[in-house]
């Protein structure tokens, strides 16, 4: 085979790769590429992001360096159609070309709405929009924190409306309300307000308002960021959101405790109207004073009626006064009669206590005492002699008996000493404990079962008693009729005209008087009862 001669220059692979790289970068230094993100799995461990942009017929590799990824307003997501801005270059090691992306934006409003709906469903599934998470707003907040732009018309509208309704202490945290830094600044503002101490140098707000004016979906996109939604849902301070006009809705509106259609409406929802509140308090005070006056007047009337029904004090003591007068009029005669009776009794007694009779009675008593004394001394001497005869043999036998008894006790004690040692006692105690432990467990179980059975029986009896109680009948609209003695009136014939009865209802008792004759005592005609007759107990 003959060798082919040529004067073509030779290139290395690296030279070809670098030449292609320069050509591509020079020709496509800045491009905007529209395509669908595919193969995105998040950031690499190095912080860079790698994925593919594709359409119906082609695809291109894409890379976002770590520094550029942090500055992206819209982060790449799998399946999202975007417009990527960057420059084309090649990767010589694998002979591939790729785009180095510097900025990403959704491809049209439809893509933004699709991304917004997907993010809304994700956060909804996590429970961030649940109604149970929303907290009630404070009725009268002392301090209100406002997160908005300090130069726009929104803050002026809020301050003006608060001054009109109820002047309050307002703290403004200035943030950008659109652009790449909007979301992190709003997140930092919410976290900063929550970090304030209640008694710190700067008072902690009782309520937060996150607000901005209207705009397009791109302008409001910062309030659809996941970080902002999570910050609003996790705030310990209640939040009112007023983002955009009344027709604009962002994700923070779902996570906040209240969504206001406009910033002015947010200010109105924050505080009540001071004049209306003062008028309400004055009205309540007036109603309270009127109620107290009516109550005092009612108590006075009841006291006056009760006083009219009481008897006069003179009537209460008239009977006792009359009895006292009668007793005082009879006292002189009774005293004279008592003195005369005592004088007659003393006269009869004086006849029996003459000196001669007293001396004779005294002599008789002295003679009887001397006789008793003589007989007593002789009887006492005989008793002592008999006791001495009985005690002498016992005294002689006492030492021997005491020694014998002591010996018996010592013998018995010697028999008991071996049984009283520690080891047998412990063995016997363990044996007794072993026998008593099962008995105690059985006793506890039996006691618990018996108590449970008694408890169940008492509960059943209580339910039966409650079922059979007449109060259940009263609760259905019936009444219990009793006379003044407490007896139950069971028929109309037993009620007498003018008789006082007591009606017992489920919630109390009422006293009534029978007005009219019972049906059995009235004369009726064929057409019915006479006109003017009363068939009601009332």
């Amino acid at each position: 085979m003959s060798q082919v001669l040529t004067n073509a220059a030779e290139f290395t692979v690296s030279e070809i790769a670098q030449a292609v790289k320069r050509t591509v970068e020079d020709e496509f230094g800045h491009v905007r590429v529209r395509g669908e993100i595919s193969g995105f799995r998040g950031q690499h461990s190095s912080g860079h992001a790698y994925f593919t942009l594709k359409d119906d017929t082609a695809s291109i590799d894409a890379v976002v360096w770590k520094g550029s990824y942090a500055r992206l307003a819209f982060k790449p997501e799998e399946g999202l159609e975007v417009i990527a801005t960057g420059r084309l270059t090649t990767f010589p090691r694998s002979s591939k070309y790729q785009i180095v992306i510097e900025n990403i934006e959704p491809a049209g409003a439809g893509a933004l709405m699709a991304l917004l709906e997907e993010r809304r469903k994700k956060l909804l599934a996590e429970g961030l929009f649940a109604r149970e998470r929303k907290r009630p707003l404070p009725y009268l907040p002392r301090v209100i924190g406002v997160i908005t732009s300090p130069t726009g018309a929104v803050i002026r509208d809020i301050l003006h409306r608060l001054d009109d309704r109820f002047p309050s202490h307002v703290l403004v945290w200035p943030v950008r309300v659109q652009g790449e830094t909007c979301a992190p600044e709003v997140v930092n503002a919410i976290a900063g307000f929550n970090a304030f101490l209640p008694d710190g140098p700067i008072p902690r707000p009782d309520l937060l308002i996150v607000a901005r004016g209207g705009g397009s979906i791109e302008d409001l996109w910062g309030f659809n960021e996941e970080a902002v939604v999570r910050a609003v849902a996790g705030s310990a301070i209640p939040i009112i959101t007023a983002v955009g006009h009344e027709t604009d809705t962002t994700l923070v509106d779902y996570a906040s405790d209240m969504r206001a259609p406009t910033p002015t409406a947010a200010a109105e929802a924050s505080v009540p109207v001071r004049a209306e509140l003062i008028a309400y308090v004055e009205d309540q005070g007036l109603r309270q004073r009127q109620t107290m006056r009516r109550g005092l007047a009612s108590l006075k009337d009841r006291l006056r009626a009760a006083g009219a029904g009481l008897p006069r004090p003179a009537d209460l003591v008239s009977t006792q006064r009359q009895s006292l007068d009668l007793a005082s009029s009879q006292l002189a005669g009774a005293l004279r009669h008592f003195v005369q009776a005592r004088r007659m009794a003393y006269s009869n007694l004086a006849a029996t206590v003459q000196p001669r009779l007293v001396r004779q009675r005294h002599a008789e008593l002295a003679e009887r005492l001397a006789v008793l004394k003589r007989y007593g001394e002789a009887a006492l001497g005989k008793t002592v002699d008999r006791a001495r005869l009985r005690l002498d043999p016992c005294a002689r036998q006492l030492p021997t008996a005491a020694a014998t008894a002591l010996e018996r006790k010592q013998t018995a004690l010697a028999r008991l000493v071996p049984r009283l040692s520690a080891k047998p006692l412990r063995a016997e105690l363990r044996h007794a404990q072993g026998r008593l432990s099962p008995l105690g467990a059985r006793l506890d179980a039996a006691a618990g079962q018996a108590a449970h059975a008694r408890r169940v029986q008492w509960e059943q009896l209580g339910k039966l008693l409650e079922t059979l109680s007449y109060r259940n009948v009263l609760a259905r609209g019936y009444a219990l009729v009793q006379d003044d003695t407490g007896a139950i009136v069971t028929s109309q014939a037993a009620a007498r005209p003018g008789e006082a009865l007591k009606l017992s209802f489920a919630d109390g008792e009422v006293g009534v008087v029978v007005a009219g004759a019972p049906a059995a005592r009235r004369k009726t005609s064929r057409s019915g009862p006479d006109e003017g007759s009363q068939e009601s107990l009332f």
Side-chain angles (χ1 to χ4, degrees), residues 192-395:
F193 274 132
N194 280 270
F196 287 175
L197 298 177
D199 53 352
I202 301 178
R204 183 182 183 184
D206 301 318
L207 180 67
L208 298 181
I209 298 177
V210 180
R212 68 147 287 160
S216 64
I217 185 173
E218 291 82 2
D219 296 336
L220 303 179
W221 191 257
F223 297 92
N224 291 320
E225 291 292 343
E226 185 174 342
V228 179
V229 177
R230 294 188 183 277
V232 171
S235 173
I237 305 174
I239 294 180
I240 299 177
T241 56
V243 179
H245 296 302
E246 186 169 358
T247 57
D248 297 326
T249 302
T250 59
L251 294 182
V252 294
D253 295 329
Y254 297 107
S256 63
D257 299 294
M258 179 181 177
R259 186 245 178 191
T262 60
T264 303
E268 292 177 353
S270 301
V271 293
V273 179
R274 184 174 181 271
E276 294 179 357
L277 184 59
I278 294 175
Y280 174 77
V281 173
E282 292 178 351
D283 180 66
Q284 293 296 318
L286 177 61
R287 295 177 61 183
Q288 183 181 15
R289 290 191 294 271
Q290 292 176 350
T291 303
M292 292 180 63
R293 283 196 293 269
R294 287 196 297 268
L296 290 176
S298 176
L299 292 176
K300 288 180 180 179
D301 294 339
R302 293 177 60 185
L303 180 61
R304 191 179 299 108
L310 292 175
R312 293 180 300 173
D315 295 339
L316 293 176
V317 299
S318 60
T319 303
Q320 287 74 9
R321 182 184 291 112
Q322 185 176 0
S323 300
L324 181 60
D325 293 341
L326 178 61
S328 60
S329 63
Q330 297 176 353
L331 180 60
L335 289 175
R336 287 194 298 271
H337 179 71
F338 177 77
V339 171
Q340 183 178 3
R342 289 299 179 184
R343 185 180 290 112
M344 292 178 62
Y346 291 153
S347 300
N348 296 333
L349 184 61
T352 60
V353 293
Q354 295 178 1
R356 180 178 59 80
L357 296 177
V358 171
R359 286 193 295 273
Q360 182 179 358
R361 182 63 177 172
H362 182 267
E364 292 177 355
L365 292 176
E367 184 179 358
R368 293 178 62 185
L369 182 60
V371 173
L372 291 175
K373 183 176 182 181
R374 287 195 300 273
Y375 280 106
E377 290 177 354
L380 180 60
K382 292 180 181 179
T383 302
V384 171
D385 292 339
R386 287 196 300 268
R388 184 179 292 112
L389 292 175
R390 294 175 57 188
L391 291 176
D392 287 343
C394 293

Side-chain angles (χ1 to χ4, degrees), residues 152-164 263-264 267:
V154 172
I155 185 62
R156 292 195 296 271
D157 292 343
I158 292 177
L159 294 177
H160 178 70
R161 196 56 180 159
L162 289 177
D163 288 338
D164 289 343
T264 303

Side-chain angles (χ1 to χ4, degrees), residues 37 81 100 175 210 259 277 305 387 489 498 519:
I37 296 177
E81 186 177 4
V100 179
V175 296
V210 180
R259 186 245 178 191
L277 184 59
V489 179

Side-chain angles (χ1 to χ4, degrees), residues 505-521:
F505 299 94
D507 57 348
E509 298 178 351
V510 175
V512 299
V513 177
V514 179
R521 301 177 184 177

Side-chain angles (χ1 to χ4, degrees), residues 5 112 206 303 309 408 432 455:
L5 299 177
L112 281 179
D206 301 318
L303 180 61
R408 286 199 302 269
R455 188 180 298 108

